[in-house]
Amino acid sequence: MTGDRRRVPRRRRVRAASAMLSAIVLSGCAGTSFAGSTHAQTPAPSGTTVPIAQLAVGDCFGEFDRESDTSSLAVVPCDDVHIYEVFAAFELPEGDYPSKHDIDDAAFDDCDPAFAEFIGIPSQYSVLEYFYFAPTKKSWAEDDDHGVACVVGASGITVAGSLRGYRR
């Protein structure tokens, strides 16, 4: 998951609005980490620099350079001022490294309904956006990293406390 950041295209979010309710009901990953996940099972201690592949649901962090090959982030308590929060995590299926399209589809299928459940409204109606950290080809092969972390926030919007139930 080191450094590969992608935002799910907004047009795909709108296209899926009609399927949103059933997706939320059927989603089993919202707010959880899967057994065997490379993601940590509990948020990191305050002030810890965490490798992206070890981000856990509930980890919060500030602004970072999205254009650089970021491999770790400084995690802060969600009660402190921050911009981003990991709201869901899931594993990509075993096998060969998936295509960008397959990763985007998986992220949309898992992150979008989890966003609606976590924030309280569908993503297309929110001022917040989500993106995800996914494994790189190298981390997939060398570290058996199949974890994807769904992250919510908006550059320039700082909050203190979890974004759960933000409803904006």
Side-chain angles (χ1 to χ4, degrees), residues 82-85 118-119 128 152-153 159 161-166:
H82 64 280
I83 299 172
Y84 302 107
E85 181 174 350
F118 186 79
I119 297 301
L128 301 172
V152 64
V159 295
S162 175
L163 288 166
R164 179 180 295 282
Y166 191 71

